[in-house]
Amino acid sequence: MIDLDNLTMHYGELRALQGLDLHIPQGEFFAFLGPNGAGKTTAIKLLTGLMKPSAGSVRICGHDIQKDPLQAKSVLGYVPDVAVFYEKLTPFEFMQFIADLYQVPAKEVAPRTEALFAKFDIHRHASQQIENLSHGTRQRLAIASTLLHEPKVFVIDEPMVGLDPVHAKTVKQELKARSQAGMTILMSTHLLNIAEELADRIGILNHGKLIALGTMEELRQKFEGQGKRLEEIFLDMVSEAEAGD
Ligand code: ATP
């Protein structure tokens, strides 16, 4: 469902992403981990078509994001780490706007909006201007609006930012349920416990390279110490890669 082939990005002299090859199959919940500056956001911007790679390609459900951007984006949902809205709209109006952009069938818009607002506890804010919403409510609205067109591939950067524990649990449960129902999810996070809890597979990026890839169990086996927490594995791998450099 997501195919990255030799994905490479240079900013001048800086090699932010160095030949990333990755296949994420349908229904997989995949987590990108990595220290600051590892290249996670760069990878996400390339795979959502927000930037053009220096080399390599991205396919979303078989559609090349550069050659066939409309087809690719029609099946893609992307929640950035800081969502951008039209601040004077209400959540209801914003959902209508997103529905129009993605050509959601007219009769589907109201029931889907209703269900998403109920799921993400947005109803009581639905008629307020977005500029007056709290950070957590904005984040839930960003997620709800990105699910409105029922994307096959869902990309989310730091999903838990600004969410209290109750709403964080709702978001985790909903994303996990949707991935089990077939939606492919790529999540970028610094929160190791979230990756460990949700992800089927984890990729650790450092200096633009994938330095580890596998299930939690595979990553554990790679690092002899059985029973290690992901945090220890992550720190071990990053320091090993630093030593190699
Ligand atoms: P963080 O966890 O801090 O968000 P990240 O893993 O998302 O980091 P990127 O934002 O992809 O990392 O950055 C990778 C490298 O590319 C960093 O060295 C960063 O400074 C650099 N970089 C990112 N965007 C640009 C840009 N537009 N121009 C020049 N350099 C950039």
Side-chain angles (χ1 to χ4, degrees):
M1 282 287 141
I2 303 177
D3 286 291
L4 309 183
D5 180 14
N6 186 37
L7 196 62
T8 302
M9 186 68 189
H10 298 166
Y11 298 112
E13 294 291 296
L14 180 76
R15 296 165 169 216
L17 213 57
Q18 305 188 48
L20 183 60
D21 290 313
L22 186 62
H23 171 69
I24 304 176
Q26 188 198 345
E28 182 166 89
F29 201 133
F30 186 91
F32 257 147
L33 289 175
N36 291 133
K40 304 179 298 295
T41 303
T42 297
I44 284 181
K45 284 185 177 166
L46 295 174
L47 78 88
T48 51
L50 291 173
M51 288 192 312
K52 196 169 179 234
S54 309
S57 66
V58 173
R59 277 180 298 132
I60 305 290
C61 300
H63 307 294
D64 189 300
I65 195 84
Q66 291 298 326
K67 295 181 186 149
D68 202 2
L70 284 183
Q71 293 275 26
K73 288 177 186 176
S74 70
V75 291
L76 181 66
Y78 169 47
V79 184
D81 51 353
V82 180
V84 178
F85 300 99
Y86 289 105
E87 300 283 335
K88 297 292 178 194
L89 296 183
T90 67
F92 259 129
E93 291 164 343
F94 186 70
M95 294 295 267
Q96 184 63 58
F97 169 70
I98 296 294
D100 290 346
L101 270 186
Y102 282 95
Q103 300 177 333
V104 176
K107 65 176 177 17
E108 293 287 329
V109 179
R112 286 191 200 176
T113 300
E114 175 75 22
L116 287 163
F117 278 9
K119 175 71 69 184
F120 292 107
D121 189 23
I122 299 173
H123 265 308
R124 59 206 160 95
H125 308 288
S127 303
Q128 276 174 263
Q129 284 182 332
I130 293 173
E131 66 183 0
N132 296 322
L133 301 181
S134 72
H135 191 64
T137 307
R138 292 166 71 96
Q139 175 69 353
R140 297 195 316 281
L141 177 61
I143 295 170
S145 62
T146 305
L147 290 169
L148 187 60
H149 69 291
E150 300 187 339
K152 293 192 167 82
V153 173
F154 187 84
V155 178
I156 185 162
D157 208 347
E158 291 293 353
M160 302 308 154
V161 173
L163 296 180
D164 63 43
V166 173
H167 290 124
K169 189 172 174 198
T170 305
V171 168
K172 284 189 284 186
Q173 285 176 339
E174 184 62 15
L175 293 185
K176 193 69 191 170
R178 287 189 183 241
S179 104
Q180 285 165 344
M183 189 169 84
T184 308
I185 302 183
L186 187 150
M187 166 180 79
S188 163
T189 183
H190 289 116
L191 298 177
L192 307 177
N193 59 324
I194 299 291
E196 186 167 11
E197 185 181 342
L198 292 177
D200 300 315
R201 236 168 19 128
I202 293 167
I204 301 181
L205 270 180
N206 197 30
H207 295 313
K209 288 185 192 154
L210 207 50
I211 59 168
L213 175 67
T215 62
M216 191 61 215
E217 207 39 55
E218 287 165 349
L219 294 185
R220 278 208 186 95
Q221 274 168 16
K222 197 169 167 180
F223 268 71
E224 303 144 341
Q226 288 285 334
K228 272 191 179 182
R229 302 282 303 165
L230 182 59
E231 189 167 13
E232 295 168 69
I233 295 172
F234 176 77
L235 292 172
D236 283 353
M237 286 186 170
V238 170
S239 60
E240 194 177 83
E242 297 284 351
D245 282 352

